[in-house]
């Protein structure tokens, strides 16, 4: 084919036309990439996007969040990419909240700024929201950082008071039946604790967020019960956890709330599917209430009791059911002996589902008053707190009682693979060195050699 001047010109025009179209495509892709974001996380632990719990927390944060990282500059040649890791981590939050501002300060170059901020270690992160400030030091994951944002968002700084001295499940206790692990989770979310001694104090302090009565084992004194009732009459909030229908000296409070608790426990035949005892009731049905809005996690309650309350014009309580368990089970009229086979009695037993929790609410003065009664305290114990959604339900209950309804959300779960443990042996160090440098040097070098080999082979063919 003869290539004359006309054909050469046509080819040149075609080539330039292709270049122009290609550049226009690149510009359009850049524009759409800046305007629209689509993310798909295929990692096992979803480490590149936020869980729904974190997204919900960001949605209710209306003011800007300022993040200042006090860290020396990265040295990629020695593998130090801390700042880049922080940028990538914060970017996940910035995708859902545009007014998160990230700034780096080198403490070696600006020691006065680091000192004024109270920074103690290299890499420390200072987060500021609505003039409230918190520090967090690496390493941290989504769980820790979102909990920090929850603490900064919390508007109610009043203490969670808990009754003690009668064999209660302790909010700071370490025994299996105690609620210490639940208490630790509440502390990470900004709650503080107080333990008033009602045998000495003139009354239950009115400056607390709520009073927690967690299944006393012996009767509380009459004077303590009178003080608790006076606290309720004055508009105080209460979380009452019961392990049976014995009110332990608080019958007058139960009457005041119109409360009834069954003597028998719930038996759930579905428990056998999970290898559990029939006395462990599972729940996946929840009432229409702010505590359980969009709550779809499965929870479990060992030896739970039916709970009901009556709201009247006289007491002013609005009563809502919270948790229904054992749709395929029943409420036993008597306790099931250990090792005995559960058998339904048509005359004395009640078929499920059985409600085991109620929330009471009424207007008191200019503010609302709230009470939650659960016919089971074991679900928040150190033994069962990590099962299913038990922790999430417990935190939602406390948030609602504290008046922080906007913080009721499914809590983000910690990553399973955030840390890698390397055995402190010569073999362990050799394996770690090989794996790390394989991705850094050996595998790229292998691809380069393979590419050169195939290029040379084709060239000779």
């Amino acid at each position: 084919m003869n290539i004359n001047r006309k054909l050469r010109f046509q080819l040149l025009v075609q080539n330039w036309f292709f270049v122009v179209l290609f550049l226009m495509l690149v510009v359009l892709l850049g524009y759409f990439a800046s305007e629209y974001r689509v993310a798909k996380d295929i990692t096992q632990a979803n480490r590149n996007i936020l869980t729904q719990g974190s997204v919900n927390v960001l949605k209710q944060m209306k003011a800007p969040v300022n993040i200042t990282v006090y860290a020396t500059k990265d040295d990629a040649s020695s593998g130090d990419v801390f700042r880049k890791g922080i940028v990538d981590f914060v970017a996940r939050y910035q995708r859902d909240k545009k007014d998160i501002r990230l700034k780096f300060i080198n403490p070696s170059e600006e020691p006065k700024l680091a000192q004024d901020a109270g920074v103690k270690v290299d890499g420390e992160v200072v987060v500021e929201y609505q003039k409230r400030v918190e520090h967090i030091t690496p390493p941290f994951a989504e769980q820790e950082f979102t909990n920090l944002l929850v603490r900064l968002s919390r508007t109610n700084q009043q203490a969670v008071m808990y009754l003690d001295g009668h064999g209660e499940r302790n909010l700071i206790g370490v025994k299996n039946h105690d609620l210490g692990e639940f208490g630790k989770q509440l502390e990470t979310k900004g709650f503080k604790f107080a333990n008033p001694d009602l045998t000495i104090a003139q009354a239950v302090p009115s400056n607390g967020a709520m009073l927690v009565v967690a299944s006393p084992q012996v009767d509380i004194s009459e004077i303590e019960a009178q003080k608790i009732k006076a606290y309720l009459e004055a508009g105080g909030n209460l979380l009452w956890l019961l392990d049976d229908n014995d009110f332990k000296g608080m019958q007058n409070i139960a009457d005041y709330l119109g409360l009834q608790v069954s003597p028998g426990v719930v038996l759930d035949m579905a428990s056998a599917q999970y290898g559990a005892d029939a006395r462990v009731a599972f729940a996946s049905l929840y009432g229409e209430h702010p505590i359980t809005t969009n709550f779809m996690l499965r929870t479990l309650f060992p030896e739970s009791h039916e709970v009901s309350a009556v709201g009247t014009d006289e007491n002013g309580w609005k009563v809502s059911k919270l948790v229904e368990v054992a749709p395929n089970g029943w409420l036993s009229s008597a306790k099931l002996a250990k090792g005995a086979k559960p058998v339904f009695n048509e005359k004395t037993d009640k078929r499920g589902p059985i409600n085991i929790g109620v929330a009471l609410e009424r207007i008191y003065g200019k503010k609302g008053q709230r009470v939650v009664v659960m016919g089971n305290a074991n679900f928040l114990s150190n033994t069962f707190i990590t099962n299913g959604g038990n922790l999430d339900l417990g935190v939602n209950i406390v948030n609602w009682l504290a008046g922080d309804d906007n913080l009721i959300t499914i809590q983000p779960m910690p990553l399973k693979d955030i840390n890698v443990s390397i055995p402190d042996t010569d073999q362990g160090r050799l394996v770690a060195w090989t794996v790390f440098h394989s991705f850094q040097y050996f595998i790229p070098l292998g691809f380069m050699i393979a590419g050169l080999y195939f290029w040379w082979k084709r060239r000779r063919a």
Side-chain angles (χ1 to χ4, degrees):
M1 182 179 69
N2 294 327
I3 301 178
N4 53 32
R5 181 178 297 179
K6 182 178 179 181
L7 183 58
R8 189 180 292 110
F9 177 76
Q10 289 177 347
L11 292 174
L12 183 64
V13 171
Q14 289 178 1
N15 290 338
W16 275 107
F17 186 67
F18 171 78
V19 170
V20 171
L21 287 178
F22 179 76
L23 291 176
M24 290 177 61
L25 178 63
V26 171
V27 172
L28 284 173
L29 289 175
Y31 170 77
F32 286 125
S34 63
E35 292 294 321
Y36 307 99
R37 294 183 180 274
V38 178
K40 179 66 176 178
D41 194 344
I42 60 174
T43 60
Q44 178 186 10
N46 292 329
R47 60 169 64 251
N48 295 317
I49 60 174
L50 295 179
T51 59
Q52 190 57 44
S54 296
V55 174
N56 292 343
V57 171
L58 293 176
K59 284 181 179 178
Q60 55 82 33
M61 299 181 75
K62 304 305 181 185
V65 177
N66 298 311
I67 303 174
T68 306
V69 183
Y70 292 84
T72 53
K73 294 181 179 179
D74 289 350
D75 185 2
S77 61
S78 62
D80 181 9
V81 289
F82 174 78
R83 286 194 175 193
K84 182 180 182 303
I86 290 292
V87 170
D88 294 341
F89 177 81
V90 174
R92 296 159 57 193
Y93 287 82
Q94 289 174 323
R95 281 193 284 268
D96 289 284
K97 183 172 173 60
K98 305 299 183 185
D99 54 357
I100 293 181
R101 303 160 185 162
L102 177 64
K103 181 173 68 173
F104 289 93
I105 293 178
N106 191 336
S108 301
E109 298 176 355
E110 303 283 354
K112 185 67 168 58
L113 292 177
Q115 183 180 0
D116 293 342
V119 173
K120 298 179 180 178
V121 297
D122 186 25
E124 191 166 338
V125 180
V126 181
V127 185
E128 183 267 333
Y129 176 72
Q130 291 187 331
K131 298 183 179 180
R132 293 194 290 273
V133 177
E134 279 223 20
H135 293 228
I136 186 170
T137 54
F140 53 83
E142 180 186 347
Q143 175 85 350
E144 291 80 15
F145 196 78
T146 298
N147 279 336
L148 179 147
L149 296 179
V150 169
R151 292 194 296 271
L152 290 175
S153 303
R154 191 169 300 284
T155 57
N156 194 333
Q157 300 296 316
Q158 296 173 310
V160 174
M161 305 177 292
Y162 62 94
L163 193 65
D164 197 12
H166 315 89
E168 291 90 347
R169 296 173 182 266
N170 201 313
L171 269 173
I172 59 174
V174 296
K175 297 179 180 178
N176 289 340
H177 69 274
D178 283 331
L179 312 180
E181 289 302 318
F182 179 57
K184 288 179 183 178
Q185 290 295 324
L186 293 181
E187 286 183 313
T188 64
K189 291 166 177 57
F191 288 103
K192 299 177 181 178
F193 297 137
N195 178 216
D197 186 349
L198 299 187
T199 61
I200 300 174
Q202 292 184 348
V204 179
S206 59
N207 58 352
M210 73 195 74
L211 175 67
V212 178
V213 180
S215 185
Q217 298 304 300
V218 298
D219 288 357
I220 69 172
S221 65
E222 184 179 349
I223 189 170
E224 289 176 291
Q226 290 175 352
K227 291 176 181 178
I228 294 174
K229 185 179 179 184
Y231 167 75
L232 283 175
E233 290 174 337
N237 300 327
L238 174 68
L239 171 58
W240 194 358
L241 304 175
L242 291 160
D243 278 328
D244 51 38
N245 64 328
D246 187 344
F247 298 119
K248 304 297 183 183
M250 297 174 61
Q251 182 66 53
N252 61 334
I253 298 169
D255 295 339
Y256 183 70
L257 298 174
L259 186 67
Q260 289 185 336
V261 180
S262 68
V265 299
V266 178
L267 302 179
D268 190 354
M269 294 301 98
S271 301
Q273 300 176 13
Y274 306 100
D277 189 280
R279 287 169 292 189
V280 178
F282 288 86
S284 57
L285 299 174
Y286 303 96
E288 295 183 4
H289 192 271
I291 291 175
T292 52
T293 298
N294 297 325
F295 191 88
M296 294 177 288
L297 300 178
R298 184 171 59 90
T299 48
L300 61 90
F301 303 85
E303 298 191 7
S304 53
H305 296 257
E306 183 180 33
V307 174
S308 62
V310 179
T312 65
D313 293 336
E314 183 181 350
N315 61 32
W317 293 113
K318 174 187 175 184
V319 181
S320 302
K321 294 181 178 180
L322 285 182
V323 184
E324 291 187 337
V325 300
N328 298 319
W330 62 85
L331 176 66
S332 174
S333 58
K335 286 190 175 182
L336 180 68
K338 189 174 183 181
K341 183 179 179 179
V343 178
F344 179 73
N345 188 322
E346 288 281 357
K347 295 181 179 180
T348 59
D349 296 343
K350 177 182 178 181
R351 290 196 180 277
I354 307 299
N355 182 73
I356 62 167
V358 292
L360 299 89
E361 186 174 14
R362 68 179 179 182
I363 301 298
Y364 183 87
K366 295 183 179 180
K367 67 173 186 175
Q369 181 182 9
R370 299 174 172 183
V371 174
V372 170
V373 182
M374 297 294 297
N376 184 265
N378 217 7
F379 83 104
L380 292 178
S381 68
N382 294 338
T383 303
F384 294 99
I385 188 64
T386 57
N387 285 272
N390 286 19
L391 171 62
D392 298 276
L393 180 61
V395 172
N396 282 5
I397 289 172
V398 174
N399 274 329
W400 182 73
L401 288 170
D404 284 323
D405 299 42
N406 57 337
L407 296 181
I408 293 177
T409 180
I410 306 301
Q411 306 304 314
M413 292 295 105
L415 297 176
K416 298 178 182 179
D417 56 350
I418 185 172
N419 294 318
V420 176
S421 299
I422 300 174
D424 190 17
T425 61
D426 292 339
Q427 184 180 2
R429 285 188 288 271
L430 177 61
V431 171
W433 184 90
T434 304
V435 171
F436 176 77
H437 289 291
S438 291
F439 285 98
Q440 191 174 22
Y441 300 116
F442 302 147
I443 293 178
L445 185 61
F447 277 115
M448 184 181 296
I449 294 173
L452 289 172
Y453 170 75
F454 286 114
W455 170 81
W456 178 78
K457 189 175 181 180
R458 289 179 179 179
R459 184 180 177 87
R460 287 177 59 89

mmCIF file of all heavy atoms in Angstrom, residues 153-174:
data_model
loop_
_atom_site.group_PDB
_atom_site.id
_atom_site.type_symbol
_atom_site.label_atom_id
_atom_site.label_comp_id
_atom_site.label_asym_id
_atom_site.label_seq_id
_atom_site.Cartn_x
_atom_site.Cartn_y
_atom_site.Cartn_z
ATOM 1 N N SER A 153 -19.377 12.497 71.869
ATOM 2 C CA SER A 153 -20.747 12.875 71.503
ATOM 3 C C SER A 153 -21.693 12.874 72.688
ATOM 4 O O SER A 153 -22.770 13.466 72.621
ATOM 5 C CB SER A 153 -21.293 11.912 70.440
ATOM 6 O OG SER A 153 -20.466 11.884 69.313
ATOM 7 N N ARG A 154 -21.313 12.188 73.758
ATOM 8 C CA ARG A 154 -22.246 11.999 74.865
ATOM 9 C C ARG A 154 -22.556 13.333 75.540
ATOM 10 O O ARG A 154 -21.670 14.056 75.972
ATOM 11 C CB ARG A 154 -21.665 11.017 75.890
ATOM 12 C CG ARG A 154 -22.699 10.572 76.917
ATOM 13 C CD ARG A 154 -22.179 9.416 77.751
ATOM 14 N NE ARG A 154 -21.845 8.260 76.936
ATOM 15 C CZ ARG A 154 -22.733 7.445 76.408
ATOM 16 N NH1 ARG A 154 -24.026 7.658 76.582
ATOM 17 N NH2 ARG A 154 -22.352 6.423 75.679
ATOM 18 N N THR A 155 -23.846 13.641 75.597
ATOM 19 C CA THR A 155 -24.280 14.901 76.202
ATOM 20 C C THR A 155 -24.539 14.758 77.695
ATOM 21 O O THR A 155 -24.492 15.725 78.440
ATOM 22 C CB THR A 155 -25.565 15.399 75.517
ATOM 23 O OG1 THR A 155 -26.571 14.383 75.616
ATOM 24 C CG2 THR A 155 -25.307 15.689 74.049
ATOM 25 N N ASN A 156 -24.830 13.537 78.136
ATOM 26 C CA ASN A 156 -25.149 13.310 79.545
ATOM 27 C C ASN A 156 -23.907 12.812 80.268
ATOM 28 O O ASN A 156 -23.454 11.700 80.048
ATOM 29 C CB ASN A 156 -26.283 12.275 79.668
ATOM 30 C CG ASN A 156 -26.872 12.251 81.068
ATOM 31 O OD1 ASN A 156 -26.204 12.578 82.048
ATOM 32 N ND2 ASN A 156 -28.132 11.843 81.162
ATOM 33 N N GLN A 157 -23.340 13.632 81.121
ATOM 34 C CA GLN A 157 -22.124 13.281 81.843
ATOM 35 C C GLN A 157 -22.411 12.819 83.267
ATOM 36 O O GLN A 157 -21.497 12.692 84.082
ATOM 37 C CB GLN A 157 -21.174 14.488 81.878
ATOM 38 C CG GLN A 157 -20.744 14.977 80.504
ATOM 39 C CD GLN A 157 -19.925 13.946 79.755
ATOM 40 O OE1 GLN A 157 -19.038 13.308 80.303
ATOM 41 N NE2 GLN A 157 -20.232 13.771 78.475
ATOM 42 N N GLN A 158 -23.683 12.575 83.587
ATOM 43 C CA GLN A 158 -24.036 12.136 84.926
ATOM 44 C C GLN A 158 -23.628 10.685 85.144
ATOM 45 O O GLN A 158 -23.563 9.885 84.212
ATOM 46 C CB GLN A 158 -25.543 12.293 85.148
ATOM 47 C CG GLN A 158 -26.011 13.741 85.096
ATOM 48 C CD GLN A 158 -27.524 13.849 85.138
ATOM 49 O OE1 GLN A 158 -28.209 13.181 84.383
ATOM 50 N NE2 GLN A 158 -28.035 14.673 86.035
ATOM 51 N N ALA A 159 -23.363 10.335 86.395
ATOM 52 C CA ALA A 159 -22.840 9.011 86.720
ATOM 53 C C ALA A 159 -23.942 7.957 86.749
ATOM 54 O O ALA A 159 -25.104 8.249 87.034
ATOM 55 C CB ALA A 159 -22.141 9.055 88.084
ATOM 56 N N VAL A 160 -23.546 6.715 86.417
ATOM 57 C CA VAL A 160 -24.413 5.559 86.589
ATOM 58 C C VAL A 160 -24.210 5.058 88.021
ATOM 59 O O VAL A 160 -23.135 4.602 88.387
ATOM 60 C CB VAL A 160 -24.067 4.448 85.586
ATOM 61 C CG1 VAL A 160 -24.873 3.192 85.871
ATOM 62 C CG2 VAL A 160 -24.315 4.935 84.161
ATOM 63 N N MET A 161 -25.252 5.149 88.842
ATOM 64 C CA MET A 161 -25.165 4.717 90.239
ATOM 65 C C MET A 161 -25.621 3.261 90.348
ATOM 66 O O MET A 161 -26.535 2.845 89.648
ATOM 67 C CB MET A 161 -26.049 5.608 91.121
ATOM 68 C CG MET A 161 -25.749 7.093 91.012
ATOM 69 S SD MET A 161 -26.885 8.108 91.999
ATOM 70 C CE MET A 161 -28.421 7.846 91.103
ATOM 71 N N TYR A 162 -24.970 2.499 91.199
ATOM 72 C CA TYR A 162 -25.372 1.103 91.372
ATOM 73 C C TYR A 162 -25.430 0.754 92.857
ATOM 74 O O TYR A 162 -24.625 1.201 93.668
ATOM 75 C CB TYR A 162 -24.421 0.156 90.629
ATOM 76 C CG TYR A 162 -22.983 0.185 91.090
ATOM 77 C CD1 TYR A 162 -22.513 -0.717 92.042
ATOM 78 C CD2 TYR A 162 -22.073 1.099 90.557
ATOM 79 C CE1 TYR A 162 -21.198 -0.718 92.458
ATOM 80 C CE2 TYR A 162 -20.757 1.117 90.965
ATOM 81 C CZ TYR A 162 -20.313 0.205 91.915
ATOM 82 O OH TYR A 162 -19.001 0.225 92.331
ATOM 83 N N LEU A 163 -26.447 -0.047 93.180
ATOM 84 C CA LEU A 163 -26.650 -0.490 94.558
ATOM 85 C C LEU A 163 -25.678 -1.618 94.869
ATOM 86 O O LEU A 163 -25.430 -2.480 94.032
ATOM 87 C CB LEU A 163 -28.100 -0.951 94.735
ATOM 88 C CG LEU A 163 -28.596 -1.161 96.176
ATOM 89 C CD1 LEU A 163 -28.620 0.155 96.928
ATOM 90 C CD2 LEU A 163 -29.997 -1.785 96.143
ATOM 91 N N ASP A 164 -25.152 -1.625 96.076
ATOM 92 C CA ASP A 164 -24.176 -2.641 96.466
ATOM 93 C C ASP A 164 -24.361 -2.975 97.948
ATOM 94 O O ASP A 164 -25.011 -2.239 98.690
ATOM 95 C CB ASP A 164 -22.758 -2.114 96.219
ATOM 96 C CG ASP A 164 -21.725 -3.228 96.211
ATOM 97 O OD1 ASP A 164 -22.128 -4.403 96.168
ATOM 98 O OD2 ASP A 164 -20.519 -2.929 96.255
ATOM 99 N N GLY A 165 -23.799 -4.118 98.345
ATOM 100 C CA GLY A 165 -23.850 -4.491 99.749
ATOM 101 C C GLY A 165 -24.884 -5.544 100.089
ATOM 102 O O GLY A 165 -25.066 -5.890 101.257
ATOM 103 N N HIS A 166 -25.576 -6.066 99.047
ATOM 104 C CA HIS A 166 -26.607 -7.072 99.291
ATOM 105 C C HIS A 166 -26.411 -8.288 98.382
ATOM 106 O O HIS A 166 -27.362 -8.978 98.049
ATOM 107 C CB HIS A 166 -28.008 -6.472 99.058
ATOM 108 C CG HIS A 166 -28.195 -5.125 99.665
ATOM 109 N ND1 HIS A 166 -27.884 -3.962 98.995
ATOM 110 C CD2 HIS A 166 -28.661 -4.759 100.891
ATOM 111 C CE1 HIS A 166 -28.145 -2.926 99.776
ATOM 112 N NE2 HIS A 166 -28.626 -3.375 100.935
ATOM 113 N N GLY A 167 -25.167 -8.509 97.943
ATOM 114 C CA GLY A 167 -24.871 -9.623 97.064
ATOM 115 C C GLY A 167 -25.238 -9.372 95.622
ATOM 116 O O GLY A 167 -25.441 -10.324 94.853
ATOM 117 N N GLU A 168 -25.348 -8.099 95.221
ATOM 118 C CA GLU A 168 -25.711 -7.775 93.835
ATOM 119 C C GLU A 168 -24.605 -8.195 92.860
ATOM 120 O O GLU A 168 -23.450 -8.398 93.239
ATOM 121 C CB GLU A 168 -25.945 -6.255 93.673
ATOM 122 C CG GLU A 168 -27.175 -5.729 94.369
ATOM 123 C CD GLU A 168 -26.913 -5.289 95.805
ATOM 124 O OE1 GLU A 168 -25.825 -5.633 96.340
ATOM 125 O OE2 GLU A 168 -27.782 -4.626 96.391
ATOM 126 N N ARG A 169 -25.002 -8.303 91.608
ATOM 127 C CA ARG A 169 -24.019 -8.501 90.537
ATOM 128 C C ARG A 169 -23.299 -7.159 90.328
ATOM 129 O O ARG A 169 -23.906 -6.183 89.890
ATOM 130 C CB ARG A 169 -24.716 -8.945 89.249
ATOM 131 C CG ARG A 169 -25.401 -10.314 89.365
ATOM 132 C CD ARG A 169 -26.210 -10.596 88.115
ATOM 133 N NE ARG A 169 -26.919 -11.855 88.186
ATOM 134 C CZ ARG A 169 -26.464 -13.018 87.705
ATOM 135 N NH1 ARG A 169 -25.279 -13.067 87.128
ATOM 136 N NH2 ARG A 169 -27.191 -14.121 87.787
ATOM 137 N N ASN A 170 -22.014 -7.130 90.623
ATOM 138 C CA ASN A 170 -21.274 -5.880 90.697
ATOM 139 C C ASN A 170 -20.838 -5.394 89.317
ATOM 140 O O ASN A 170 -20.301 -6.163 88.519
ATOM 141 C CB ASN A 170 -20.040 -6.065 91.594
ATOM 142 C CG ASN A 170 -19.514 -4.754 92.119
ATOM 143 O OD1 ASN A 170 -19.368 -3.798 91.374
ATOM 144 N ND2 ASN A 170 -19.229 -4.712 93.410
ATOM 145 N N LEU A 171 -21.045 -4.094 89.048
ATOM 146 C CA LEU A 171 -20.666 -3.507 87.769
ATOM 147 C C LEU A 171 -19.155 -3.407 87.581
ATOM 148 O O LEU A 171 -18.687 -3.157 86.464
ATOM 149 C CB LEU A 171 -21.287 -2.108 87.620
ATOM 150 C CG LEU A 171 -22.655 -2.033 86.947
ATOM 151 C CD1 LEU A 171 -23.218 -0.637 87.032
ATOM 152 C CD2 LEU A 171 -22.573 -2.473 85.498
ATOM 153 N N ILE A 172 -18.392 -3.590 88.640
ATOM 154 C CA ILE A 172 -16.936 -3.585 88.509
ATOM 155 C C ILE A 172 -16.356 -4.906 89.009
ATOM 156 O O ILE A 172 -15.160 -5.020 89.226
ATOM 157 C CB ILE A 172 -16.307 -2.404 89.265
ATOM 158 C CG1 ILE A 172 -16.670 -2.452 90.763
ATOM 159 C CG2 ILE A 172 -16.725 -1.078 88.661
ATOM 160 C CD1 ILE A 172 -15.958 -1.379 91.589
ATOM 161 N N GLY A 173 -17.217 -5.925 89.175
ATOM 162 C CA GLY A 173 -16.778 -7.217 89.694
ATOM 163 C C GLY A 173 -16.141 -8.094 88.630
ATOM 164 O O GLY A 173 -16.391 -7.949 87.436
ATOM 165 N N VAL A 174 -15.341 -9.065 89.069
ATOM 166 C CA VAL A 174 -14.615 -9.941 88.145
ATOM 167 C C VAL A 174 -15.111 -11.385 88.198
ATOM 168 O O VAL A 174 -14.663 -12.224 87.406
ATOM 169 C CB VAL A 174 -13.100 -9.911 88.453
ATOM 170 C CG1 VAL A 174 -12.532 -8.526 88.216
ATOM 171 C CG2 VAL A 174 -12.821 -10.371 89.885
#
